[in-house]
Amino acid sequence: MPALFAHLQPLLRCAALGLACLAAGCAGLPARGPQAPELAIPVSAQTELGRIVAPFNAKPDGLSAVRPLPQASFALDARLELIRRAQASLDMQSFQLAKDKTGLLILRELRDAARRGVRVRLLLDDFYTGGLDRLLLALAAEPKAEVRLFNPFVNGREHTATRWLDFFTDFKRLNHRMHNKLFIADGAIAIAGGRNLADEYFLRSEGANFIDFELLMAGPVVPQSARIFDGYWNSDVVYPLQRIVRAADPSEKLAAEFELATSEQHAPWPDAPLENDILSEPPLREQLARGELRWMRAEAQALADSPKKALGTRPPGMETLAHRWYTTMAAAKSQVLVVSPYFIPGDEGMERISAARARGLRVTIITNSLADSDEPLVNVNYNRFRVALLKEGVELFEVSTQQLKRNTQIRSLLRQARGRLHAKLALVDREWVLLGSMNLDPRSERLNTEFGVRVHSFELTQALLYAYLLDDIEGVYRVVLKPDGQSVQWVGTGDEDNEVLDDEPDSSLLTRLQLLLFSWFVPTDQL
């Protein structure tokens, strides 16, 4: 009995907290009050980064400059180097900033930039900010820094259990999240893609790491991105941190806690990246030191959902990012290759795929296997469409840690950690690249807000095909129909044996049954 009671204690505490909250009456969102719009600081030749990108802003052809960041160490190096070199402004928007080595390091570098006189604007979705309030308050106390929260939680912020209680008592509002990822330095150089600000997105986790993608950008696409950032920063669903969080302790105590939490002991500087990345490009810090960057010139357009999507409404004439992506893919002439960690086509998606196949388009889809998905309920719902996809003639691949580790380079990067797909990409006709934060699932399409970039570039497409071996895919399972045409099997790639499996790779029957049971209670449109 004592042991059983010990296990029940956390549940009893959660119940007590919940009852106390209900008894006291949960607070609602505070009034925002009138607030003057705050806009991005335009790129200027008075800053080092502004001078470096000046040639791209001056050319009348309207083309932007882009550079792929497929490798995590180079992507983190680029972000940190830009923070350290910024002289005017840093605008950062993210779905998640974790309280780990990477997240704490980012906070420290932003604080140091603010103390140098750089205006820092940090916009976070509020879903993953549990345990961060005091650190964020310390950052926001810097005269040149401000932190704002998208669609914030109001009640029980410091405890996971009470946050969940708040979530379900205000489900209609809090179910909408800002999934965008965007970083802009001095209005000159931007980074967009799928990476959150946490260890696992930069191969720094001992548990599981993500294979992801980002794009470094300069030229006209950067002010486009800045206008989108401003639209979110000034929107009705974004609140200054201090309107939501109150700290009883003096600012000096918060600053001391911040100093300790973000010290070198807890937030070490990452190992230096290799001499060159997989595309034979040196790290950004070396190129910036020389004052010249090697870019691909391309037509690029930044696009995003309206922040008002979080209110469950869509402004008249405002298309969702998902609709724009599907329109681009529908215009394909020969082939569409989709990389999405979470993939649920739904009935509408199956209709689009069927129409594409009827026109003779080659359709390839790469997603996570069940065992290597961090959202297995999504995978269970995707499974319902596998046979139909294969019958349409879709080429279907699933990423697997065991398969990935047969590649020597990837094995050395992942070490003992699991490897999961997190990149969100679509390659259309080897001419167009669609990238950003959007997954091809109902949640991205209907509930969350997303940011993306559409690039017209054969050169960029070829670089991605090479970097991710998309013309000769290894480290994945090819999913095919069994001879009966009613079920699937998995064929290994990248080795001599090419093993064939009749059951979900690396997952137990019990796991599959549990997930199937849970999937009955979670509507597909919430995934």
Side-chain angles (χ1 to χ4, degrees), residues 211 335-339 362-367 395-400 403-404 406-407 410 421 427 430 464-479 491-495 498:
I211 299 167
Q335 60 181 301
V336 174
L337 187 152
V338 171
V339 180
R362 179 184 177 186
V363 178
T364 304
I365 295 167
I366 304 172
T367 190
E395 297 175 80
L396 191 56
F397 298 90
E398 293 181 6
V399 172
S400 156
Q403 288 288 310
L404 283 172
R406 289 173 176 169
N407 181 298
I410 294 177
L421 178 68
L427 275 56
R430 295 180 181 252
L464 295 179
L465 290 169
Y466 173 77
Y468 293 105
L469 303 175
L470 296 177
D471 275 337
D472 186 18
I473 300 176
E474 294 184 5
V476 299
Y477 283 104
R478 177 188 290 272
V479 186
V491 181
T493 62
D495 64 353
N498 288 339

mmCIF file of all heavy atoms in Angstrom, residues 211 335-339 362-367 395-400 403-404 406-407 410 421 427 430 464-479 491-495 498:
data_model
loop_
_atom_site.group_PDB
_atom_site.id
_atom_site.type_symbol
_atom_site.label_atom_id
_atom_site.label_comp_id
_atom_site.label_asym_id
_atom_site.label_seq_id
_atom_site.Cartn_x
_atom_site.Cartn_y
_atom_site.Cartn_z
ATOM 1 N N ILE A 211 17.025 14.935 -38.321
ATOM 2 C CA ILE A 211 17.599 15.324 -39.609
ATOM 3 C C ILE A 211 16.710 16.443 -40.140
ATOM 4 O O ILE A 211 15.513 16.251 -40.347
ATOM 5 C CB ILE A 211 17.614 14.140 -40.582
ATOM 6 C CG1 ILE A 211 18.473 13.010 -40.015
ATOM 7 C CG2 ILE A 211 18.128 14.567 -41.949
ATOM 8 C CD1 ILE A 211 18.310 11.698 -40.750
ATOM 9 N N GLN A 335 7.297 15.852 -61.935
ATOM 10 C CA GLN A 335 7.475 15.111 -60.691
ATOM 11 C C GLN A 335 7.367 16.007 -59.470
ATOM 12 O O GLN A 335 7.655 17.206 -59.520
ATOM 13 C CB GLN A 335 8.827 14.397 -60.684
ATOM 14 C CG GLN A 335 10.032 15.308 -60.809
ATOM 15 C CD GLN A 335 11.330 14.524 -60.809
ATOM 16 O OE1 GLN A 335 11.627 13.802 -59.870
ATOM 17 N NE2 GLN A 335 12.107 14.676 -61.874
ATOM 18 N N VAL A 336 6.956 15.391 -58.369
ATOM 19 C CA VAL A 336 6.896 16.052 -57.061
ATOM 20 C C VAL A 336 7.514 15.099 -56.046
ATOM 21 O O VAL A 336 7.129 13.931 -55.956
ATOM 22 C CB VAL A 336 5.449 16.379 -56.644
ATOM 23 C CG1 VAL A 336 5.418 16.935 -55.224
ATOM 24 C CG2 VAL A 336 4.810 17.360 -57.610
ATOM 25 N N LEU A 337 8.495 15.606 -55.291
ATOM 26 C CA LEU A 337 9.114 14.829 -54.225
ATOM 27 C C LEU A 337 8.845 15.551 -52.916
ATOM 28 O O LEU A 337 9.197 16.723 -52.761
ATOM 29 C CB LEU A 337 10.618 14.681 -54.458
ATOM 30 C CG LEU A 337 11.384 13.753 -53.514
ATOM 31 C CD1 LEU A 337 12.613 13.173 -54.215
ATOM 32 C CD2 LEU A 337 11.830 14.457 -52.234
ATOM 33 N N VAL A 338 8.211 14.861 -51.979
ATOM 34 C CA VAL A 338 7.807 15.457 -50.706
ATOM 35 C C VAL A 338 8.581 14.808 -49.571
ATOM 36 O O VAL A 338 8.652 13.577 -49.482
ATOM 37 C CB VAL A 338 6.293 15.282 -50.475
ATOM 38 C CG1 VAL A 338 5.918 15.706 -49.055
ATOM 39 C CG2 VAL A 338 5.498 16.083 -51.497
ATOM 40 N N VAL A 339 9.165 15.634 -48.701
ATOM 41 C CA VAL A 339 9.806 15.172 -47.471
ATOM 42 C C VAL A 339 9.039 15.804 -46.318
ATOM 43 O O VAL A 339 9.020 17.026 -46.174
ATOM 44 C CB VAL A 339 11.287 15.591 -47.422
ATOM 45 C CG1 VAL A 339 11.930 15.105 -46.124
ATOM 46 C CG2 VAL A 339 12.049 15.064 -48.631
ATOM 47 N N ARG A 362 5.328 11.770 -61.545
ATOM 48 C CA ARG A 362 6.007 10.894 -60.594
ATOM 49 C C ARG A 362 5.879 11.530 -59.215
ATOM 50 O O ARG A 362 6.258 12.678 -59.018
ATOM 51 C CB ARG A 362 7.470 10.736 -60.972
ATOM 52 C CG ARG A 362 8.284 9.859 -60.024
ATOM 53 C CD ARG A 362 9.746 9.836 -60.435
ATOM 54 N NE ARG A 362 10.554 9.046 -59.491
ATOM 55 C CZ ARG A 362 11.883 8.954 -59.540
ATOM 56 N NH1 ARG A 362 12.561 9.606 -60.491
ATOM 57 N NH2 ARG A 362 12.527 8.219 -58.645
ATOM 58 N N VAL A 363 5.362 10.797 -58.245
ATOM 59 C CA VAL A 363 5.160 11.310 -56.894
ATOM 60 C C VAL A 363 5.950 10.442 -55.925
ATOM 61 O O VAL A 363 5.756 9.227 -55.865
ATOM 62 C CB VAL A 363 3.671 11.315 -56.509
ATOM 63 C CG1 VAL A 363 3.503 11.819 -55.080
ATOM 64 C CG2 VAL A 363 2.860 12.169 -57.474
ATOM 65 N N THR A 364 6.849 11.083 -55.160
ATOM 66 C CA THR A 364 7.673 10.396 -54.168
ATOM 67 C C THR A 364 7.444 11.041 -52.810
ATOM 68 O O THR A 364 7.459 12.267 -52.690
ATOM 69 C CB THR A 364 9.169 10.486 -54.533
ATOM 70 O OG1 THR A 364 9.371 9.956 -55.852
ATOM 71 C CG2 THR A 364 10.024 9.713 -53.536
ATOM 72 N N ILE A 365 7.241 10.216 -51.792
ATOM 73 C CA ILE A 365 7.000 10.715 -50.439
ATOM 74 C C ILE A 365 7.973 10.034 -49.487
ATOM 75 O O ILE A 365 8.114 8.813 -49.490
ATOM 76 C CB ILE A 365 5.557 10.440 -49.992
ATOM 77 C CG1 ILE A 365 4.581 11.235 -50.870
ATOM 78 C CG2 ILE A 365 5.359 10.810 -48.519
ATOM 79 C CD1 ILE A 365 3.137 10.815 -50.729
ATOM 80 N N ILE A 366 8.650 10.851 -48.658
ATOM 81 C CA ILE A 366 9.575 10.355 -47.636
ATOM 82 C C ILE A 366 9.077 10.849 -46.283
ATOM 83 O O ILE A 366 8.881 12.048 -46.082
ATOM 84 C CB ILE A 366 11.009 10.852 -47.891
ATOM 85 C CG1 ILE A 366 11.470 10.459 -49.296
ATOM 86 C CG2 ILE A 366 11.970 10.292 -46.847
ATOM 87 C CD1 ILE A 366 12.796 11.072 -49.702
ATOM 88 N N THR A 367 8.866 9.916 -45.349
ATOM 89 C CA THR A 367 8.383 10.277 -44.018
ATOM 90 C C THR A 367 9.029 9.355 -42.988
ATOM 91 O O THR A 367 9.862 8.514 -43.324
ATOM 92 C CB THR A 367 6.836 10.206 -43.956
ATOM 93 O OG1 THR A 367 6.377 10.779 -42.732
ATOM 94 C CG2 THR A 367 6.335 8.778 -44.094
ATOM 95 N N GLU A 395 5.734 6.451 -54.957
ATOM 96 C CA GLU A 395 6.940 5.864 -54.379
ATOM 97 C C GLU A 395 7.008 6.308 -52.922
ATOM 98 O O GLU A 395 7.041 7.500 -52.637
ATOM 99 C CB GLU A 395 8.183 6.333 -55.130
ATOM 100 C CG GLU A 395 8.218 5.897 -56.586
ATOM 101 C CD GLU A 395 9.411 6.486 -57.314
ATOM 102 O OE1 GLU A 395 10.519 5.941 -57.174
ATOM 103 O OE2 GLU A 395 9.223 7.511 -57.990
ATOM 104 N N LEU A 396 7.033 5.340 -52.006
ATOM 105 C CA LEU A 396 6.895 5.632 -50.588
ATOM 106 C C LEU A 396 8.100 5.104 -49.815
ATOM 107 O O LEU A 396 8.470 3.929 -49.937
ATOM 108 C CB LEU A 396 5.613 4.979 -50.065
ATOM 109 C CG LEU A 396 5.111 5.350 -48.676
ATOM 110 C CD1 LEU A 396 4.911 6.856 -48.544
ATOM 111 C CD2 LEU A 396 3.802 4.621 -48.384
ATOM 112 N N PHE A 397 8.723 6.002 -49.008
ATOM 113 C CA PHE A 397 9.903 5.634 -48.224
ATOM 114 C C PHE A 397 9.702 6.065 -46.779
ATOM 115 O O PHE A 397 9.104 7.115 -46.503
ATOM 116 C CB PHE A 397 11.164 6.318 -48.780
ATOM 117 C CG PHE A 397 11.503 5.918 -50.185
ATOM 118 C CD1 PHE A 397 11.002 6.629 -51.267
ATOM 119 C CD2 PHE A 397 12.323 4.829 -50.442
ATOM 120 C CE1 PHE A 397 11.312 6.270 -52.568
ATOM 121 C CE2 PHE A 397 12.646 4.456 -51.733
ATOM 122 C CZ PHE A 397 12.138 5.179 -52.806
ATOM 123 N N GLU A 398 10.245 5.265 -45.827
ATOM 124 C CA GLU A 398 10.158 5.587 -44.409
ATOM 125 C C GLU A 398 11.545 5.556 -43.789
ATOM 126 O O GLU A 398 12.315 4.604 -43.980
ATOM 127 C CB GLU A 398 9.236 4.594 -43.695
ATOM 128 C CG GLU A 398 7.786 4.725 -44.138
ATOM 129 C CD GLU A 398 6.861 3.753 -43.419
ATOM 130 O OE1 GLU A 398 7.321 3.048 -42.483
ATOM 131 O OE2 GLU A 398 5.678 3.708 -43.796
ATOM 132 N N VAL A 399 11.872 6.623 -43.031
ATOM 133 C CA VAL A 399 13.176 6.758 -42.404
ATOM 134 C C VAL A 399 13.254 5.855 -41.172
ATOM 135 O O VAL A 399 12.321 5.773 -40.382
ATOM 136 C CB VAL A 399 13.439 8.222 -42.006
ATOM 137 C CG1 VAL A 399 14.704 8.356 -41.170
ATOM 138 C CG2 VAL A 399 13.526 9.095 -43.260
ATOM 139 N N SER A 400 14.392 5.173 -41.019
ATOM 140 C CA SER A 400 14.621 4.269 -39.901
ATOM 141 C C SER A 400 16.011 4.487 -39.334
ATOM 142 O O SER A 400 16.982 4.589 -40.085
ATOM 143 C CB SER A 400 14.480 2.811 -40.375
ATOM 144 O OG SER A 400 15.191 1.916 -39.548
ATOM 145 N N GLN A 403 18.442 1.738 -40.369
ATOM 146 C CA GLN A 403 18.887 1.889 -41.751
ATOM 147 C C GLN A 403 19.848 3.069 -41.893
ATOM 148 O O GLN A 403 20.861 2.979 -42.587
ATOM 149 C CB GLN A 403 17.680 2.086 -42.673
ATOM 150 C CG GLN A 403 16.834 0.840 -42.876
ATOM 151 C CD GLN A 403 17.531 -0.193 -43.734
ATOM 152 O OE1 GLN A 403 18.032 0.117 -44.808
ATOM 153 N NE2 GLN A 403 17.576 -1.430 -43.271
ATOM 154 N N LEU A 404 19.535 4.192 -41.219
ATOM 155 C CA LEU A 404 20.389 5.368 -41.311
ATOM 156 C C LEU A 404 21.807 5.069 -40.859
ATOM 157 O O LEU A 404 22.784 5.541 -41.452
ATOM 158 C CB LEU A 404 19.817 6.503 -40.462
ATOM 159 C CG LEU A 404 18.616 7.276 -41.002
ATOM 160 C CD1 LEU A 404 18.087 8.215 -39.940
ATOM 161 C CD2 LEU A 404 18.982 8.050 -42.254
ATOM 162 N N ARG A 406 23.569 2.595 -41.154
ATOM 163 C CA ARG A 406 24.395 1.835 -42.089
ATOM 164 C C ARG A 406 25.239 2.764 -42.961
ATOM 165 O O ARG A 406 26.147 2.338 -43.641
ATOM 166 C CB ARG A 406 23.505 0.938 -42.958
ATOM 167 C CG ARG A 406 22.928 -0.222 -42.162
ATOM 168 C CD ARG A 406 21.921 -1.020 -42.947
ATOM 169 N NE ARG A 406 21.478 -2.165 -42.149
ATOM 170 C CZ ARG A 406 20.458 -2.942 -42.457
ATOM 171 N NH1 ARG A 406 19.777 -2.717 -43.569
ATOM 172 N NH2 ARG A 406 20.115 -3.947 -41.686
ATOM 173 N N ASN A 407 24.884 4.066 -42.923
ATOM 174 C CA ASN A 407 25.685 5.082 -43.606
ATOM 175 C C ASN A 407 26.744 5.580 -42.625
ATOM 176 O O ASN A 407 26.417 6.092 -41.546
ATOM 177 C CB ASN A 407 24.775 6.241 -44.058
ATOM 178 C CG ASN A 407 25.532 7.323 -44.793
ATOM 179 O OD1 ASN A 407 26.426 7.947 -44.242
ATOM 180 N ND2 ASN A 407 25.155 7.556 -46.041
ATOM 181 N N ILE A 410 26.487 9.292 -41.359
ATOM 182 C CA ILE A 410 25.348 9.539 -40.487
ATOM 183 C C ILE A 410 25.540 8.838 -39.148
ATOM 184 O O ILE A 410 25.203 9.374 -38.091
ATOM 185 C CB ILE A 410 24.044 9.075 -41.171
ATOM 186 C CG1 ILE A 410 23.762 9.942 -42.403
ATOM 187 C CG2 ILE A 410 22.872 9.129 -40.200
ATOM 188 C CD1 ILE A 410 22.555 9.528 -43.191
ATOM 189 N N LEU A 421 13.507 12.056 -38.901
ATOM 190 C CA LEU A 421 13.328 13.051 -39.943
ATOM 191 C C LEU A 421 12.509 14.217 -39.396
ATOM 192 O O LEU A 421 11.493 14.019 -38.727
ATOM 193 C CB LEU A 421 12.605 12.412 -41.129
ATOM 194 C CG LEU A 421 12.280 13.325 -42.312
ATOM 195 C CD1 LEU A 421 13.562 13.760 -43.013
ATOM 196 C CD2 LEU A 421 11.356 12.602 -43.293
ATOM 197 N N LEU A 427 10.146 19.236 -53.564
ATOM 198 C CA LEU A 427 10.879 19.566 -54.785
ATOM 199 C C LEU A 427 9.946 19.308 -55.958
ATOM 200 O O LEU A 427 9.424 18.202 -56.112
ATOM 201 C CB LEU A 427 12.135 18.700 -54.907
ATOM 202 C CG LEU A 427 13.407 19.184 -54.168
ATOM 203 C CD1 LEU A 427 13.151 19.386 -52.691
ATOM 204 C CD2 LEU A 427 14.547 18.195 -54.366
ATOM 205 N N ARG A 430 12.205 19.549 -60.263
ATOM 206 C CA ARG A 430 13.631 19.882 -60.142
ATOM 207 C C ARG A 430 13.902 21.355 -60.437
ATOM 208 O O ARG A 430 14.991 21.743 -60.840
ATOM 209 C CB ARG A 430 14.486 18.999 -61.058
ATOM 210 C CG ARG A 430 14.448 17.524 -60.663
ATOM 211 C CD ARG A 430 15.303 16.679 -61.582
ATOM 212 N NE ARG A 430 15.231 15.285 -61.188
ATOM 213 C CZ ARG A 430 16.223 14.618 -60.604
ATOM 214 N NH1 ARG A 430 17.373 15.218 -60.361
ATOM 215 N NH2 ARG A 430 16.093 13.356 -60.265
ATOM 216 N N LEU A 464 20.103 19.944 -53.046
ATOM 217 C CA LEU A 464 19.339 19.161 -52.078
ATOM 218 C C LEU A 464 19.256 17.693 -52.482
ATOM 219 O O LEU A 464 19.327 16.802 -51.628
ATOM 220 C CB LEU A 464 17.935 19.751 -51.927
ATOM 221 C CG LEU A 464 17.885 21.154 -51.329
ATOM 222 C CD1 LEU A 464 16.456 21.658 -51.251
ATOM 223 C CD2 LEU A 464 18.515 21.172 -49.948
ATOM 224 N N LEU A 465 19.112 17.431 -53.762
ATOM 225 C CA LEU A 465 19.115 16.049 -54.234
ATOM 226 C C LEU A 465 20.433 15.366 -53.879
ATOM 227 O O LEU A 465 20.455 14.194 -53.484
ATOM 228 C CB LEU A 465 18.880 16.005 -55.751
ATOM 229 C CG LEU A 465 17.474 16.381 -56.234
ATOM 230 C CD1 LEU A 465 17.473 16.547 -57.748
ATOM 231 C CD2 LEU A 465 16.459 15.322 -55.822
ATOM 232 N N TYR A 466 21.515 16.112 -53.978
ATOM 233 C CA TYR A 466 22.835 15.556 -53.652
ATOM 234 C C TYR A 466 23.019 15.408 -52.143
ATOM 235 O O TYR A 466 23.456 14.361 -51.653
ATOM 236 C CB TYR A 466 23.931 16.461 -54.217
ATOM 237 C CG TYR A 466 25.328 16.056 -53.795
ATOM 238 C CD1 TYR A 466 25.970 14.975 -54.392
ATOM 239 C CD2 TYR A 466 25.987 16.747 -52.777
ATOM 240 C CE1 TYR A 466 27.244 14.589 -53.994
ATOM 241 C CE2 TYR A 466 27.258 16.367 -52.369
ATOM 242 C CZ TYR A 466 27.882 15.293 -52.985
ATOM 243 O OH TYR A 466 29.136 14.913 -52.579
ATOM 244 N N ALA A 467 22.655 16.457 -51.388
ATOM 245 C CA ALA A 467 22.896 16.443 -49.939
ATOM 246 C C ALA A 467 22.118 15.334 -49.246
ATOM 247 O O ALA A 467 22.620 14.692 -48.313
ATOM 248 C CB ALA A 467 22.530 17.799 -49.336
ATOM 249 N N TYR A 468 20.900 15.086 -49.687
ATOM 250 C CA TYR A 468 20.052 14.083 -49.031
ATOM 251 C C TYR A 468 19.960 12.780 -49.828
ATOM 252 O O TYR A 468 19.143 11.913 -49.490
ATOM 253 C CB TYR A 468 18.652 14.649 -48.808
ATOM 254 C CG TYR A 468 18.619 15.779 -47.810
ATOM 255 C CD1 TYR A 468 18.475 17.101 -48.223
ATOM 256 C CD2 TYR A 468 18.749 15.535 -46.445
ATOM 257 C CE1 TYR A 468 18.445 18.145 -47.309
ATOM 258 C CE2 TYR A 468 18.728 16.570 -45.523
ATOM 259 C CZ TYR A 468 18.573 17.866 -45.960
ATOM 260 O OH TYR A 468 18.555 18.897 -45.050
ATOM 261 N N LEU A 469 20.794 12.641 -50.860
ATOM 262 C CA LEU A 469 20.833 11.413 -51.676
ATOM 263 C C LEU A 469 19.444 11.051 -52.184
ATOM 264 O O LEU A 469 19.049 9.873 -52.201
ATOM 265 C CB LEU A 469 21.409 10.252 -50.850
ATOM 266 C CG LEU A 469 22.811 10.467 -50.256
ATOM 267 C CD1 LEU A 469 23.189 9.287 -49.368
ATOM 268 C CD2 LEU A 469 23.839 10.643 -51.358
ATOM 269 N N LEU A 470 18.680 12.050 -52.624
ATOM 270 C CA LEU A 470 17.292 11.808 -52.979
ATOM 271 C C LEU A 470 17.130 11.107 -54.317
ATOM 272 O O LEU A 470 16.050 10.589 -54.628
ATOM 273 C CB LEU A 470 16.523 13.136 -52.986
ATOM 274 C CG LEU A 470 16.441 13.824 -51.617
ATOM 275 C CD1 LEU A 470 15.727 15.161 -51.725
ATOM 276 C CD2 LEU A 470 15.737 12.934 -50.601
ATOM 277 N N ASP A 471 18.187 11.079 -55.136
ATOM 278 C CA ASP A 471 18.116 10.320 -56.389
ATOM 279 C C ASP A 471 18.517 8.865 -56.189
ATOM 280 O O ASP A 471 18.281 8.017 -57.050
ATOM 281 C CB ASP A 471 19.022 10.961 -57.456
ATOM 282 C CG ASP A 471 18.319 12.086 -58.198
ATOM 283 O OD1 ASP A 471 17.073 12.076 -58.223
ATOM 284 O OD2 ASP A 471 19.007 12.963 -58.738
ATOM 285 N N ASP A 472 19.144 8.577 -55.067
ATOM 286 C CA ASP A 472 19.565 7.208 -54.753
ATOM 287 C C ASP A 472 19.432 7.028 -53.248
ATOM 288 O O ASP A 472 20.408 7.001 -52.509
ATOM 289 C CB ASP A 472 21.017 6.973 -55.215
ATOM 290 C CG ASP A 472 21.445 5.525 -55.036
ATOM 291 O OD1 ASP A 472 20.558 4.665 -54.894
ATOM 292 O OD2 ASP A 472 22.659 5.265 -55.027
ATOM 293 N N ILE A 473 18.205 6.925 -52.804
ATOM 294 C CA ILE A 473 17.897 7.034 -51.384
ATOM 295 C C ILE A 473 18.474 5.871 -50.599
ATOM 296 O O ILE A 473 18.283 4.702 -50.946
ATOM 297 C CB ILE A 473 16.370 7.119 -51.181
ATOM 298 C CG1 ILE A 473 15.816 8.352 -51.905
ATOM 299 C CG2 ILE A 473 16.034 7.194 -49.704
ATOM 300 C CD1 ILE A 473 14.320 8.465 -51.854
ATOM 301 N N GLU A 474 19.201 6.201 -49.523
ATOM 302 C CA GLU A 474 19.734 5.205 -48.613
ATOM 303 C C GLU A 474 19.293 5.534 -47.189
ATOM 304 O O GLU A 474 18.881 6.648 -46.884
ATOM 305 C CB GLU A 474 21.266 5.165 -48.676
ATOM 306 C CG GLU A 474 21.819 4.689 -50.011
ATOM 307 C CD GLU A 474 23.333 4.576 -49.994
ATOM 308 O OE1 GLU A 474 23.924 4.781 -48.914
ATOM 309 O OE2 GLU A 474 23.917 4.293 -51.037
ATOM 310 N N GLY A 475 19.411 4.556 -46.305
ATOM 311 C CA GLY A 475 19.067 4.790 -44.913
ATOM 312 C C GLY A 475 17.580 4.851 -44.672
ATOM 313 O O GLY A 475 17.132 5.453 -43.688
ATOM 314 N N VAL A 476 16.788 4.248 -45.550
ATOM 315 C CA VAL A 476 15.338 4.248 -45.406
ATOM 316 C C VAL A 476 14.812 2.874 -45.806
ATOM 317 O O VAL A 476 15.523 2.046 -46.368
ATOM 318 C CB VAL A 476 14.677 5.326 -46.294
ATOM 319 C CG1 VAL A 476 15.149 6.711 -45.911
ATOM 320 C CG2 VAL A 476 14.956 5.070 -47.769
ATOM 321 N N TYR A 477 13.554 2.641 -45.498
ATOM 322 C CA TYR A 477 12.844 1.477 -46.025
ATOM 323 C C TYR A 477 11.970 1.918 -47.191
ATOM 324 O O TYR A 477 11.265 2.922 -47.094
ATOM 325 C CB TYR A 477 11.954 0.836 -44.953
ATOM 326 C CG TYR A 477 12.701 0.010 -43.941
ATOM 327 C CD1 TYR A 477 12.935 0.500 -42.654
ATOM 328 C CD2 TYR A 477 13.148 -1.267 -44.257
ATOM 329 C CE1 TYR A 477 13.612 -0.262 -41.718
ATOM 330 C CE2 TYR A 477 13.827 -2.033 -43.328
ATOM 331 C CZ TYR A 477 14.056 -1.530 -42.064
ATOM 332 O OH TYR A 477 14.732 -2.291 -41.144
ATOM 333 N N ARG A 478 12.031 1.169 -48.273
ATOM 334 C CA ARG A 478 11.067 1.365 -49.356
ATOM 335 C C ARG A 478 9.815 0.572 -49.008
ATOM 336 O O ARG A 478 9.893 -0.632 -48.722
ATOM 337 C CB ARG A 478 11.638 0.885 -50.687
ATOM 338 C CG ARG A 478 10.650 1.001 -51.848
ATOM 339 C CD ARG A 478 11.196 0.337 -53.095
ATOM 340 N NE ARG A 478 12.303 1.092 -53.656
ATOM 341 C CZ ARG A 478 12.159 2.085 -54.531
ATOM 342 N NH1 ARG A 478 10.954 2.425 -54.946
ATOM 343 N NH2 ARG A 478 13.207 2.732 -54.978
ATOM 344 N N VAL A 479 8.681 1.219 -49.007
ATOM 345 C CA VAL A 479 7.421 0.553 -48.697
ATOM 346 C C VAL A 479 6.767 0.117 -50.005
ATOM 347 O O VAL A 479 6.599 0.928 -50.926
ATOM 348 C CB VAL A 479 6.473 1.484 -47.914
ATOM 349 C CG1 VAL A 479 5.220 0.738 -47.472
ATOM 350 C CG2 VAL A 479 7.187 2.069 -46.693
ATOM 351 N N VAL A 491 11.216 -2.878 -47.548
ATOM 352 C CA VAL A 491 12.442 -3.374 -48.164
ATOM 353 C C VAL A 491 13.581 -2.443 -47.765
ATOM 354 O O VAL A 491 13.527 -1.232 -48.023
ATOM 355 C CB VAL A 491 12.317 -3.435 -49.701
ATOM 356 C CG1 VAL A 491 13.611 -3.974 -50.312
ATOM 357 C CG2 VAL A 491 11.121 -4.284 -50.106
ATOM 358 N N GLY A 492 14.616 -2.992 -47.122
ATOM 359 C CA GLY A 492 15.748 -2.183 -46.702
ATOM 360 C C GLY A 492 16.533 -1.640 -47.880
ATOM 361 O O GLY A 492 16.521 -2.207 -48.979
ATOM 362 N N THR A 493 17.235 -0.519 -47.648
ATOM 363 C CA THR A 493 18.079 0.075 -48.688
ATOM 364 C C THR A 493 19.452 0.341 -48.106
ATOM 365 O O THR A 493 19.633 0.422 -46.898
ATOM 366 C CB THR A 493 17.488 1.399 -49.200
ATOM 367 O OG1 THR A 493 17.431 2.330 -48.106
ATOM 368 C CG2 THR A 493 16.091 1.206 -49.760
ATOM 369 N N GLY A 494 20.422 0.480 -48.982
ATOM 370 C CA GLY A 494 21.747 0.902 -48.534
ATOM 371 C C GLY A 494 22.628 -0.218 -48.045
ATOM 372 O O GLY A 494 23.677 0.041 -47.456
ATOM 373 N N ASP A 495 22.221 -1.473 -48.231
ATOM 374 C CA ASP A 495 23.095 -2.573 -47.859
ATOM 375 C C ASP A 495 22.948 -3.703 -48.880
ATOM 376 O O ASP A 495 22.129 -3.631 -49.794
ATOM 377 C CB ASP A 495 22.785 -3.070 -46.448
ATOM 378 C CG ASP A 495 21.381 -3.652 -46.341
ATOM 379 O OD1 ASP A 495 20.616 -3.543 -47.310
ATOM 380 O OD2 ASP A 495 21.059 -4.216 -45.285
ATOM 381 N N ASN A 498 19.354 -5.996 -48.336
ATOM 382 C CA ASN A 498 18.044 -5.432 -48.653
ATOM 383 C C ASN A 498 16.934 -6.281 -48.027
ATOM 384 O O ASN A 498 16.067 -6.841 -48.713
ATOM 385 C CB ASN A 498 17.836 -5.314 -50.166
ATOM 386 C CG ASN A 498 18.679 -4.211 -50.769
ATOM 387 O OD1 ASN A 498 19.122 -3.298 -50.079
ATOM 388 N ND2 ASN A 498 18.928 -4.301 -52.062
#
